[in-house]
Amino acid sequence: LAAVLERVVGPAHVLVEPALITPYTVDWTRRWQGPAALVVRPATTDAVAAVIRLCADAGAGLVVQGGNTGLVGGGVPPRESGGRPIVLLSMRRLDDLSPVDEAAGQVTAGAGITLARLHEHLAEGATGWAFGVDLAARDSATIGGMAATNAGGIHVVRYGAMREQIAGVEAVLATGAVLTRLQGLTKDNTGFDLSGLLVGSEGTLGVITRVRLRLVPMRPVRVTALLGLNDTGQAVDLVSGLRREVPSLEATEIFYPDGLDLVCQHSGLGPPLARRFGAYLLIESAGPDEGVMEELAEFVFRLGLDDDASAVAAGGPGRMHLWAYRERHTEVVSALGVPHKLDVTLPLKRLAAFESAVRSRVAAVAPGAMVVIWGHLGDGNLHVNVIGPPPEDDTVDDAVLRLAAGMGGSISAEHGIGRAKVRWLSLNRSPAEIEAMRAIKTSLDPAGLLNPGVLLPPSAPTR
Ligand code: FAD
Ligand code: MLT
Ligand code: ZN
């Protein structure tokens, strides 16, 4: 297989040496890993189609990978594949990027383009268009991976997740057939939305090779504020006021004093506010002119917070400084051990109750474990990170996911199901829904070639 794949992509792009393969077979968290027979790195849609056909003929399974920043193990091979060789298909070389279609406010990006490169391309073009999704893994996460996981990030409160930005995709199916929906038509009621089906399918239905992206107006003036609050309940009330009264609002991020202490210890940053608070809310507004500052400043003033309970930055290094307290949580927690990353959403009115209940629940099932929570508050999305239990022990995962589902929430807000949460899919999806998803998978990929073991449970659900 390696020899025939070399004829398609060139010898430099078929990796068989264990030392070269290993970085592709371990995920970002180090919790998920499995062996690959080889890594193949095509650079075009036709080459992806050829690779898929050759792997199907050889009886190999394919695991699709973009930037390998996914947090649920979907982009790395399974620990155990029942003797079937796994080929890791790296999409990073599909990195073409069209000029901005200024009339439509759209751009076409290769699946392997990183989010940071896309943002740069739009800034360089100076067309007045920007991309509505941003997240801390921007330097490595690819547009293909973000589409496949329906990634969220820090601007969902204003622009929605990846799904809302996607006008169409090009993808290769398990048969090697290529679907191309890249015209970017705003209206196109001609049957099933196949692009929509592929978004969020986590590489199980097709390999996304290009994405037609909707853009949003560039909003050059930004103001960021970090507010010290009593607790989650106060933050939830405040965010609901912000969403009603501050139309320029782009981000509403929450974190807590224990996480902030860890960030300060590990990064050398000093504390952002003169005293300690029960919860911290980072908010950001963006607009065309200085009006955004007044809008946000007026709202914050009306809150009547103490003088030492807020820090404000109008763009530049001050803004980056405030964001560092929030964005560095992920790396700091990973530096402490292999985290159990439990990304959940709750109805906003139950979020505060969940935040306190989850801490007690974890203490009960994993005494001594460290719990660090942060998230995208306006989306009802908390990231519950637990450090201490061994990676293979999923007691704490079970407890947290059941609590979230039991309180009317979702077991995956934005990271996906991957390999990490397959066991709990039925907490949110009915047997009829899982069977419908399985029917779609089986009809598009009867041999189970693409991402085996990801997203769907292997047999009929039991819970
Ligand atoms: P990978 O990790 O390579 O793959 C992820 C999944 O997509 C896998 O199932 C894989 O098989 C599939 N896939 C990849 N490429 C393709 C393709 N071309 N076609 C079909 N399937 C494909 N996520 C958020 O939603 N919001 C955040 O705020 C956020 N912040 C993060 C911050 C950090 C520091 C880190 C490390 C991660 C963060 N993530 C966040 C998670 C991650 O960045 C996203 O899930 C991202 O979408 C993954 O993109 P990737 O290119 O790295 O995909
Ligand atoms: C975040 O918002 O920080 C990300 O989704 C990553 C994480 O949960 O660690
Ligand atoms: Zn997140």
Side-chain angles (χ1 to χ4, degrees):
L1 181 59
V4 287
L5 290 174
E6 279 184 8
R7 271 181 244 135
V8 176
V9 299
H13 298 294
V14 177
L15 313 180
V16 291
E17 291 295 324
L20 297 178
I21 293 179
T22 302
Y24 294 85
T25 59
V26 184
D27 86 316
W28 197 91
T29 69
R30 311 181 306 280
R31 190 173 180 197
W32 311 102
Q33 55 187 294
L38 57 87
V39 174
V40 59
R41 303 189 301 193
T44 64
T45 301
D46 286 347
V48 171
V51 166
I52 289 180
R53 284 197 200 94
L54 291 167
C55 289
D57 291 348
L62 267 166
V63 169
V64 193
Q65 190 179 94
N68 198 14
T69 66
L71 299 172
V72 286
V76 293
R79 231 172 269 279
E80 174 48 58
S81 63
R84 186 188 199 190
I86 295 292
V87 168
L88 193 132
L89 172 59
S90 169
M91 298 298 289
R92 289 183 221 169
R93 291 181 68 228
L94 279 91
D95 58 359
D96 53 310
L97 202 42
S98 79
V100 174
D101 176 342
E102 293 190 45
Q106 295 182 353
V107 70
T108 303
I113 282 289
T114 63
L115 177 60
R117 178 69 200 112
L118 174 67
H119 284 308
E120 243 171 52
H121 178 67
L122 296 172
E124 285 159 10
T127 56
W129 291 109
F131 188 53
V133 174
D134 197 14
L135 42 83
R138 57 184 74 80
D139 290 327
S140 306
T142 62
I143 294 301
M146 290 173 60
T149 56
N150 186 27
I154 56 181
H155 292 156
V156 172
V157 73
R158 182 156 195 180
Y159 302 115
M162 275 303 277
R163 187 181 298 286
E164 280 75 35
Q165 327 302 322
I166 293 182
V169 305
E170 176 188 83
V172 186
L173 301 181
T175 54
V178 178
L179 302 183
T180 307
R181 306 291 305 162
L182 296 174
Q183 306 95 313
L185 299 173
T186 301
K187 291 183 156 181
D188 179 21
N189 273 350
T190 52
F192 296 167
D193 178 6
L194 297 174
S195 300
L197 184 63
L198 288 157
V199 175
S201 68
E202 300 187 46
T204 59
L205 301 181
V207 179
I208 296 170
T209 47
R210 285 193 290 171
V211 186
R212 181 77 175 172
L213 296 166
R214 295 193 181 100
L215 302 174
V216 299
M218 184 80 79
R219 304 190 201 272
V221 180
R222 267 170 200 281
V223 56
T224 311
L226 181 67
L227 309 181
L229 304 174
N230 297 330
D231 53 25
T232 309
Q234 191 189 5
V236 168
D237 291 345
L238 206 147
V239 161
S240 117
L242 276 164
R243 289 168 64 210
R244 272 194 314 268
E245 294 168 36
V246 180
S248 57
L249 184 70
E250 286 213 337
T252 56
E253 302 285 305
I254 192 160
F255 52 89
Y256 296 91
D258 47 359
L260 177 62
D261 288 347
L262 291 172
V263 168
C264 291
Q265 279 158 24
H266 283 256
S267 62
L269 291 169
L273 301 177
R275 69 188 160 90
R276 202 173 155 82
F277 291 86
Y280 295 81
L281 186 67
L282 183 78
I283 54 181
E284 185 162 279
S285 270
D289 54 38
E290 311 298 310
V292 291
M293 295 196 199
E294 281 157 40
E295 203 173 82
L296 196 68
E298 257 174 45
F299 183 89
V300 172
F301 180 73
R302 282 203 307 275
L303 294 174
L305 298 176
D306 292 343
D307 286 350
D308 58 2
S310 65
V312 179
R319 169 179 178 260
M320 300 312 293
H321 180 76
L322 290 183
W323 270 103
Y325 292 106
R326 158 63 181 92
E327 290 203 330
R328 298 188 85 161
H329 273 70
T330 304
E331 71 195 58
V332 163
V333 155
S334 275
L336 297 174
V338 176
H340 292 241
K341 297 192 77 72
L342 302 161
D343 154 51
V344 296
T345 24
L346 276 298
L348 268 173
K349 56 181 188 295
R350 308 191 80 175
L351 198 89
F354 174 83
E355 186 261 321
S356 96
V358 79
R359 293 184 193 276
S360 318
R361 202 71 201 97
V362 173
V365 300
M370 183 189 280
V371 187
V372 186
I373 300 179
W374 65 92
H376 313 284
L377 190 68
D379 314 333
N381 181 184
L382 290 182
H383 297 311
V384 180
N385 286 253
V386 183
I387 306 122
E392 59 288 352
D393 178 353
D394 61 11
T395 313
V396 84
D397 308 59
D398 187 65
V400 173
L401 299 180
R402 281 183 190 281
L403 181 69
M407 291 179 73
S410 167
I411 62 163
S412 173
E414 57 173 9
H415 295 165
I417 296 295
R419 301 189 188 285
K421 295 182 180 171
V422 173
R423 205 189 125 191
W424 295 278
L425 184 64
S426 57
L427 292 177
N428 281 137
R429 295 298 193 131
S430 67
E433 283 179 300
I434 293 177
E435 280 319 304
M437 289 200 263
R438 196 193 304 285
I440 294 169
K441 167 74 176 169
T442 311
S443 73
L444 290 179
D445 182 13
L449 177 77
L450 298 176
N451 277 8
V454 170
L455 207 160
L456 283 169
S459 56
T462 52
R463 69 192 79 219

